[in-house]
Amino acid sequence: MEKSSLTALARELMVSAKTKNSGRSARTVYGGHERILRQTVVALTAGSSLDEHDNPGEATVQVLSGRIVLKTDGVEWEGSPGDHLVVPLARHSVDALEDSAFLLTVAKP
């Protein structure tokens, strides 16, 4: 069994994101390319984003801190700490309204 603090990791990744031109930083905490399930903590500085991209499988976002907007096909969902968003099976993007961190969970078919 493994235990880790997502809160501490989110803080660490935010420090890293603030030093990068992209305004983002991420680390996979479970799984990876060789597994079906992958969980990654992503930190985005205010105003930065994950540009529109395809969904590689079923995915959810759990907001750990800050506020984000998940967008697809003209529809937007805002998320704040504690919110759980189901990522649509379509091209989508994520924008950070303020310094934010979230847990991205993806299950690839």
Side-chain angles (χ1 to χ4, degrees):
M1 182 169 151
E2 290 182 39
K3 178 183 174 184
S4 61
S5 170
L6 298 180
T7 304
L9 179 56
R11 280 194 305 262
E12 177 186 330
L13 291 172
M14 183 54 64
V15 169
S16 175
K18 288 182 178 185
T19 68
K20 297 180 179 179
N21 290 336
S22 66
R24 61 182 182 242
S25 184
R27 184 174 309 152
T28 298
V29 294
Y30 180 81
H33 297 293
E34 68 281 354
R35 298 196 178 214
I36 294 170
L37 181 67
R38 183 176 69 230
Q39 293 183 297
T40 304
V41 175
V42 179
L44 299 173
T45 57
S48 64
S49 64
L50 296 177
D51 293 333
E52 189 174 76
H53 57 280
D54 291 318
N55 187 342
E58 292 182 68
T60 62
V61 168
Q62 180 179 352
V63 182
L64 303 173
S65 63
R67 290 185 314 128
I68 63 168
V69 176
L70 175 64
K71 299 177 184 179
T72 185
D73 293 328
V75 180
E76 298 182 0
W77 299 272
E78 187 173 319
S80 54
D83 287 348
H84 184 261
L85 306 172
V86 176
V87 179
L89 291 172
R91 289 186 63 79
H92 60 279
S93 62
V94 178
D95 297 327
L97 300 176
E98 56 190 84
D99 288 355
S100 303
F102 56 90
L103 177 66
L104 172 64
T105 300
V106 176
K108 296 181 292 186

